Amino acid sequence: MARGITRRRSETRQRLVEAAYAVFSETSIRDAPVEQICDRAGFTRGAFYSNFASKEELFLAVYEAQMGDRADRLRAAVESGLATVDPGDGDSVTRVLLTAAAQFMQSPAADETWYLLNAEFRAQALRQPELRAATAAAEQVFHDALATVLQDMVDRLGLRLTVDPHAAVITVIALYETMLERALLNESPSTADNSFLTEVLPRVLAALVTPKTGETS
């Protein structure tokens, strides 16, 4: 019985998270009424507050789901690329790195909604000290997952990172977010995508990795 209740609670949370993402995207986090989220999910306010203490807590659950999807997408891209790569072929290695990055990062146009929501919540967390710890913890889980994937990938390619894997992850994410922000401000997200992936990212990746050959223990 308890197992059934747990499963039902998990399904309720998932439906609320999916509904929240849709409503947040339409109205912003600040302006989204709890009632509208509940209506979209098909639940009452009671179901909402039995699972989440606030909209902010619900957004962190949305964040966890979105970032989990991105981490899974990166793992799949890496595995697909490594299946055909020759570690001794520099061009082949570069293709794996770029393919993984391209798969992980949606086009700016497709990622616009999520970036805007994430930026809105981050600004809110910076202004409200009570949200900072939970926000930092959620981001850390995501960065840890990406750092693990990145470290495994470079190891299997016969490379090593020139910086801490967490620093590498933060660098790439920061570059992507900056590029996306500039594209949105210029109202031309589609024009920045190819340039970033084909020109900027390869040079950044080249600076972050080096061959293991000759490495001293």
Side-chain angles (χ1 to χ4, degrees), residues 30 66 84 92 102:
R30 185 193 64 182
Q66 289 288 320
T84 59
S92 184

Side-chain angles (χ1 to χ4, degrees), residues 1-209:
M1 183 67 176
R3 187 174 301 172
I5 293 174
T6 300
R7 183 169 59 250
R8 186 162 59 247
R9 182 180 180 87
S10 177
E11 291 171 352
T12 298
R13 286 177 62 89
Q14 182 176 347
R15 284 170 58 182
L16 285 167
V17 166
E18 292 172 354
Y21 180 73
V23 174
F24 288 156
S25 299
E26 295 166 3
T27 64
S28 82
I29 301 169
R30 185 193 64 182
D31 296 332
V34 169
E35 292 81 1
Q36 188 175 351
I37 296 172
C38 294
D39 288 344
R40 185 70 62 92
F43 296 120
T44 63
R45 286 172 60 92
F48 176 90
Y49 285 111
S50 69
N51 286 277
F52 302 101
S54 64
K55 283 194 299 182
E56 290 75 21
E57 185 176 311
L58 175 56
F59 178 82
L60 288 173
V62 173
Y63 180 93
E64 180 182 349
Q66 289 288 320
M67 295 298 98
D69 286 345
R70 283 162 170 74
D72 289 343
R73 190 164 67 239
L74 178 60
R75 291 189 192 94
V78 168
E79 288 300 325
S80 177
L82 289 174
T84 59
V85 71
D86 175 4
D89 181 353
D91 291 338
S92 184
V93 169
T94 299
R95 284 198 303 274
V96 172
L97 295 173
L98 292 180
T99 298
Q103 288 292 324
F104 169 68
M105 299 171 178
Q106 299 178 8
S107 69
D111 231 12
E112 174 181 350
T113 296
W114 174 245
Y115 174 76
L116 292 174
L117 288 177
N118 197 24
E120 178 189 353
F121 187 81
R122 188 179 299 172
Q124 187 174 347
L126 289 171
R127 293 178 63 89
Q128 300 181 40
E130 66 274 15
L131 295 178
R132 293 175 187 168
T135 302
E139 288 190 348
Q140 188 62 51
V141 169
F142 178 53
H143 290 171
D144 287 346
L146 296 193
T148 298
V149 174
L150 178 61
Q151 185 65 67
D152 179 62
M153 178 177 68
V154 298
D155 285 344
R156 291 165 66 181
L157 287 171
L159 305 171
R160 68 177 178 85
L161 288 165
T162 59
V163 297
D164 177 82
H166 288 82
V169 165
I170 291 172
T171 298
V172 174
I173 290 176
L175 280 172
Y176 178 65
E177 290 183 344
T178 299
M179 178 275 302
L180 181 54
E181 181 179 293
R182 290 176 62 86
L184 291 172
L185 289 174
N186 293 327
E187 298 184 346
S188 57
S190 61
T191 61
D193 194 19
N194 290 337
S195 172
F196 178 77
L197 290 176
T198 62
E199 297 176 19
V200 180
L201 190 56
R203 296 184 181 184
V204 173
L205 291 173
L208 295 178
V209 297

